[in-house]
Amino acid sequence: MLSIQRTNSQNIHFKGLVFLLDNFLKNRDGEDHAFYDQFNKLDDIKHVVICFENDEPIGCGAFKNFDDTTVEIKRMFVKVNHRSKGVATVVLKELEKWAVENYYASAILETVKEQPEAIALYKKNGYSILPNFGQYQNMEKSICMHKNL
């Protein structure tokens, strides 16, 4: 049975999942890891969602303010043995719902070309590709996406 918890970046379960995520990204990003890692700091993220199966934390995501009307989806991760079960969609939908409750009108995110499964997840959930924003503008590996909430 899946359950969702809304919390913040100080949550011990979130920190544990992010540790796994960071190890995954270090291997995936290779020489670009230091660039991407600088934008993934957890300091004071107020909107974190954790998905549990029974009492085990199996997935997470977060959002932070991008501007007055837009959130940036961050730190999406599902443990390997729980992938392809809809966990990421559950987390993403809860983040979007929470953003709307806080009067945000849209969401943006960044992923990379080397994660076709992430791109497919976001497209399936109504995100479309947009020109790379902010720090990702000159990163060839980056793919930025947007959705009106």
Side-chain angles (χ1 to χ4, degrees):
M1 170 108 187
L2 294 181
S3 62
I4 290 289
Q5 178 185 9
R6 290 180 177 184
T7 186
N8 61 45
S9 59
Q10 300 307 307
N11 183 286
I12 190 76
H13 298 299
F14 180 63
K15 288 181 178 185
L17 288 166
V18 167
F19 176 79
L20 297 174
L21 170 61
D22 286 342
N23 285 331
F24 170 79
L25 293 176
K26 189 182 296 182
N27 291 328
R28 188 212 60 204
D29 294 340
E31 64 187 41
D32 291 330
H33 182 69
F35 171 81
Y36 287 110
D37 190 49
Q38 68 182 318
F39 303 112
N40 291 325
K41 302 305 176 205
L42 296 180
D43 303 340
D44 202 32
I45 295 178
K46 295 179 175 94
H47 300 95
V48 169
V49 169
I50 302 170
C51 185
F52 293 85
E53 185 174 67
N54 302 314
D55 291 327
E56 178 190 357
I58 60 170
C60 66
F63 72 79
K64 66 179 188 175
N65 180 68
F66 183 76
D67 64 30
D68 289 343
T69 62
T70 306
V71 297
E72 183 179 0
I73 303 293
K74 304 288 290 176
R75 313 311 284 162
M76 289 287 296
F77 179 73
V78 175
K79 287 182 176 177
V80 174
N81 56 332
H82 293 280
R83 293 185 182 164
S84 300
K85 298 179 183 178
V87 174
T89 295
V90 169
V91 170
L92 185 60
K93 292 292 183 193
E94 187 67 19
L95 289 168
E96 293 171 350
K97 180 180 172 187
W98 200 1
V100 168
E101 289 170 10
N102 283 274
Y103 306 103
Y104 290 99
S106 62
I108 59 171
L109 59 87
E110 182 272 344
T111 189
V112 292
K113 294 175 184 176
E114 289 86 359
Q115 286 201 19
E117 64 285 343
I119 296 165
L121 164 78
Y122 296 127
K123 284 184 174 181
K124 179 181 84 173
N125 283 283
Y127 286 77
S128 57
I129 295 174
L130 77 156
N132 287 358
F133 59 84
Q135 64 268 21
Y136 307 112
Q137 285 179 350
N138 297 316
M139 296 302 293
E140 289 185 27
K141 291 182 179 183
S142 291
I143 293 184
C144 294
M145 304 182 86
H146 170 268
K147 179 180 179 179
N148 290 324
L149 301 175

